[in-house]
Amino acid sequence: MRRLLPVLLALLLTCAALVAPARAGSAPEVTYDRYSLIVNGRRIVLQSAEFHYFRLPSQELWRDVMEKFKAAGFNAVSLYFSWAYHSPAPGVYDFSGVRDVDRLLRTARETGLYVIARPGPYINAESTGGGFPAWLKTVPGRARSFEPGYREAYREWLHRINPIIARHQLPRGGPVILYNAENEYQVGTDAAYMQDIQDQARADGITVPITTNDCCDAGSWSSTWASGPGAVQIPGVDDYPQSFECANPALWGPWGEGLTERLRDDIPVFAAEYQAGAIDVGNAGYDKCRELTGPAFMKFFYKNNLIQTGATMFSYYMGYGGTNWGWLAQPNDVYTSYDYGAALTEARRPTPKYDEFKRQGYFLEAVAPLARTDALATPAVPGDAALTTVARANPDTGTQFVLVRHTDRAATGTDTTTLDWAAPDGRYQVPVRVKGRDAHVLVAGYDLGGQRLAVSTSEIMTHAAIGGRDVALLYGTAGAPGATVLRYPSAPSVKVLEGAVRAAYSGGDLRLDYAHDRLARVLVTGGGRRPLLLLIGTDEEAARFWRVSTAAGPLLVRGPELVRSATLRGDVVSLAADTVAGEIEVFAPPSATRLDLTAGQGASERVRVARTPSGSLLGVTRAPAPARLPELTGWRARAEAPEAAPGFDDSRWTAADHTTTTSPHPPKTLPVLYADDYGYHYGNVWYRGHFTATGAETGIDLNAITGLRGTYLVWLNGRYLGAAAGGVQADSGDQATPPNPDPGPGHFAIPPGLLRPGADNVLAVLVANMGHNDDWIADDLRFKQPRGLVAASVSGTVGGTPIAWKIQGTAGTDALRGPLSTGGLYGERVGWHLPKYQDKAWRKTAPATALTPGVTWYRTSFRLDLPKGQDVPIGLRFGGDPSPAYRVLIFLNGWNVGQYGGDIGPQREFSLPAGILAEHGTNTLALAVTAEQPATGPGPLTLFAYGNVRGGP
Ligand code: IPT
């Protein structure tokens, strides 16, 4: 995946040009007023996409995601930083390897994206503990408050992460332009805490404006604390109008109209988190979430927000979701995949949502007057009450922006009418059509490069001055009528190169009428202006275009799957692009006559091109070479769980003998068995309890809390007694409801003859913990809910000895893979998941064999040699139906990449990201299957490709 030096250099040069240095004399800085952010003296519409580096454990692929954001017209990336990801224990922090956030921020800079840095300390994000490390559960002092205990802990984190962020700020030549304090701090109302986060940031060298993301309108932090202690410079609002009910993708704004409120008069309107996907709370599958938040939703809600509220700061959650690998998931809302139905899939593939982001993002990027607008009584009156217009105008240029949509926001019909538009350049009657829940932002009175756009009922995607002429790309719904009026001092000459466009000139107006159909091309020359090539496409045709900057000015490219960067040197245009078989067309200065494509690995290939009547270069790209994937064979298996046997040596395990805890949840029985209290925070935990029996005992009563989807398995004297579901989140979510005192009960009858009276009897319990609750309402009860056993007693007798407990979790933090990758299964403790482990002595058998209760491991290895210079994201697919009888931890080359099973979620395909996956070499796959009942194991397992393009990061 590594590029050769020249390409990298070229990329760096391009990027340097994109994140422009300050104008001579002025220090680079970030300021703002009521209209917009002003970066290095230039107004910007902030178009940001959320990305969680901790959900993509592959530094090489961070670049891919960010390049794809940039290519879609995003100018910023919003990054949560997860405290849990970096800190396995108090005072211990790791920023190496996949945790190298310096590299992450450098990559953002090199890609040409600004950064909104969001280090919490609390981040939510459906991540374990909401980003809090589990060790924080044992720290006194309410989390998300200024109470001592918590205060020292969060300051420790901030003093580690802030200096890293600080050295990547814009004023120091880096990409960071905003710093977000806390996350939806609507319920804490602890001003001293909010103030302290900011004070710590300033003390650590943060100089950019501080923001915060408010959650829920009334009672939100920033409306309560607009000034005084705790107030931030730029508060924004989170909006998720589509809810998270992906099973019903036809829903339309069940959580409101999604209009981001103006919070103060001295700051821009900031959509701090705007819905761009959804968590899959109902297990409908992420494709449904992508539908729920698809292009129709994006057009209607995003454009409404832009024009109705005048927001100029947008951060879309998520741009790319990624994977809850290891024990990263907060267990109650998500499973392994955090695809989120985002514009880029978990496997980094662009979707139709990506196309819509590109259409909108390019518009925001190209049309500068949008960054400073005031509301305007609509100048464009529709001839049909079914349609409504809303307008804004730039006070300096007079440019008007008119939103056209259905009056009834739920309407699904198609309506066509005439707009009577009092535009800055005159009064125009122009046709417009709105199909269902579509919405259009139309522009009038705009200096489009060297042209004057009087009005258009096509939307502007982008325009660029290329080789002494303007190239403009407009678009509209296929079949919809459109009109574009341009002003010329004298009659220009008009040549329709392609498509059916009628042109008429009178009184200084060149009027073009057409229906949007494929791609029309009109060349306008003379008329007292520089030449214009007007391209008018459908939504789909417009999405095939890429705009890319070079040191010699912008280029437009039509056709490829993606264009990451470009150079123009001499007569050669060189594109770093992702391609499949198809046309490629480059709009470049006339001096360019040749085209090179550079793919991953730096391989460069000349594409034969011919000059078109549009003045562009047209060629053909080749299909990628097919990727041959091996079958997964050669499996070996071995059963484990020696801990269940009475004679197992647990002398080196930790004695679980505490009689007190800092937990706000009082123990039901003693000793305290909470795993976190003994330093075991993630994944499976074993308990062994010794007691001397009288022989009259009849049953074991246990209670374990695991988080949703968790379970626990129980053995007595080596005999399996059964399993029970682990308890879930403390309560329903409102503060009034007290925590459930008995969340995960399990009663296990003791079979006759199993006890050994007067002797040592051994209970063995394997608890599959699923991760930690978040702390959304800042009450400590959810976040600090224990994990592992919370109660244990033997019933049916009095006078037996108390149970003496031992506990064992993970054998230590994996230095390479971090604190969240490995838990405490026997095989994990002895390294059965690691590639170097020798499994030659294991029995040869495929996973789809009979399982007995307990833990069985399967291992195999496979060789990959994916085609060089191509991007082929690989996944692992489980055939058959997932059974609730078992759960499977999947380890790729020692990394826990996910969990599969009937109780876990609907997921059957698991992403194996390059970086962890050796694309040219040997890979080891290990499965740890925990069965609660006899069952046939999972399978068959296959490798598959999510996609295949030439190019790649
Ligand atoms: C918003 C959180 O800020 C974010 O971290 C994430 O959890 C997101 O929700 C859902 O994916 S909270 C919003 C739903 C009120």
Side-chain angles (χ1 to χ4, degrees), residues 188-214:
T189 62
D190 190 337
Y193 169 54
M194 273 301 267
Q195 187 56 47
D196 191 55
I197 293 173
Q198 298 175 63
D199 293 347
Q200 300 303 318
R202 295 302 186 210
D204 288 336
I206 300 294
T207 58
V208 295
I210 296 181
T211 63
T212 197
N213 57 319
D214 274 354

Side-chain angles (χ1 to χ4, degrees), residues 533-546:
L533 176 67
L534 191 61
L535 306 168
I536 307 167
T538 58
D539 285 13
E540 296 71 26
E541 273 300 326
R544 298 174 63 76
F545 278 84
W546 304 91

Side-chain angles (χ1 to χ4, degrees), residues 100 119 129 271 372 382 439 459 526 532 735 755 787 809 866 877 898 941:
D100 183 353
R372 185 164 190 258
E459 291 185 81
L532 167 69
Q735 270 163 315
L755 286 169
R787 288 293 177 265
L866 299 179
R877 182 182 289 131
L941 282 93

